[in-house]
Amino acid sequence: ATYLAPRVNRAIGRVVVKAAAIRVWLRKLVKKLAKKDRGLGWVVPTGFPVIHEYREEEDRRIDTVRGKVLVKEENPELKIRTRKQANSIVPNLIHSLDAAHMMLTVRELVAQGLSDFSMVHDSYAVHACDVDLMNKVLREQFVRIHTEFTLAKFLEQVKAGAPGIRFTKKSAPPELGTLDLDAVRESVYFFS
């Protein structure tokens, strides 16, 4: 893993340039807040609030019938874990948007009359006769999520939750790439 991790990251940076730039930007943003001992939060388009805050842990011993158990608990009174904050911001942001996408997709499928579906993370299933509808709804909700929730809007939410912290032009998100979100609606492959 020690050998592969930096090589994989370099390869990702060459293949998906904008994604790599966003990762760097997010990590810098989180570290800036962590220096002030602040976590961050955002609200996804479904209205669900997300809190991204990892604090130092305390050991706590709990007596059980079978003996003592050591449990690690985060303590809101202790300092932010900067490394954990930085390492987890990208997956947590992506997972929050994936979850919002799923919620909006399910709501729309129900509104369209479907009641039989199965989902796990970002894998979707419906009866074969409903695949075309699901594919259409998946794409529409994906475009909706990424139109309503932009990096600029994300930064505004972070700023609103961080009074007293100065944000400069360097805090601005990277410029957008060339992906035409509307083209997603017509794509042959989207989710499997």
Side-chain angles (χ1 to χ4, degrees):
T2 303
Y3 173 79
L4 284 177
R7 285 161 177 80
V8 169
N9 280 329
R10 276 195 302 275
I12 289 170
R14 282 188 226 118
V15 175
V16 282
V17 177
K18 291 298 180 179
I22 292 167
R23 181 185 68 206
V24 168
W25 173 74
L26 285 168
R27 291 173 59 94
K28 282 182 183 176
L29 181 65
V30 165
K31 287 178 181 177
K32 175 185 182 107
L33 292 165
K35 283 181 186 175
K36 302 284 187 182
D37 200 38
R38 301 286 285 276
L40 66 150
W42 60 92
V43 178
V44 295
T46 58
F48 188 84
V50 179
I51 304 299
H52 182 78
E53 186 174 291
Y54 293 95
R55 299 256 171 206
E56 294 290 337
E57 298 172 330
E58 289 182 318
D59 291 344
R60 187 167 143 217
R61 296 194 185 284
I62 300 173
D63 290 323
T64 68
V65 176
R66 298 188 55 129
K68 293 186 186 249
V69 175
L70 180 66
V71 176
K72 294 200 175 279
E73 290 182 320
E74 285 188 4
N75 184 337
E77 305 297 319
L78 296 178
K79 290 181 68 71
I80 288 280
R81 295 166 56 194
T82 303
R83 187 173 184 190
K84 178 73 173 169
Q85 287 283 108
N87 288 341
S88 58
I89 183 59
V90 173
N92 285 348
L93 180 59
I94 290 168
H95 291 316
S96 73
L97 293 173
D98 283 349
H101 182 223
M102 182 181 288
M103 291 171 69
L104 291 173
T105 298
V106 168
R107 275 201 311 217
E108 184 59 27
L109 288 173
V110 168
Q112 300 263 350
L114 267 63
S115 58
D116 295 331
F117 36 76
S118 175
M119 286 96 181
V120 176
H121 186 58
D122 58 2
S123 296
Y124 297 78
V126 293
H127 293 296
C129 61
D130 298 321
V131 167
D132 289 339
L133 174 61
M134 180 190 68
N135 282 331
K136 179 178 181 277
V137 170
L138 277 170
R139 287 165 173 76
E140 287 172 353
Q141 297 309 315
F142 181 86
V143 170
R144 175 182 174 188
I145 285 282
H146 294 286
T147 301
E148 291 179 18
F149 191 92
T150 64
L151 293 177
K153 290 176 184 174
F154 170 76
L155 180 59
E156 289 306 313
Q157 290 185 35
V158 170
K159 286 179 180 180
I165 294 181
R166 188 169 169 262
F167 293 88
T168 64
K169 288 184 180 181
K170 288 183 179 179
S171 302
E175 289 187 31
L176 296 178
T178 58
L179 174 67
D180 177 10
L181 273 177
D182 286 327
V184 168
R185 288 186 171 101
E186 307 307 320
S187 64
V188 175
Y189 300 106
F190 184 63
F191 276 95
S192 58

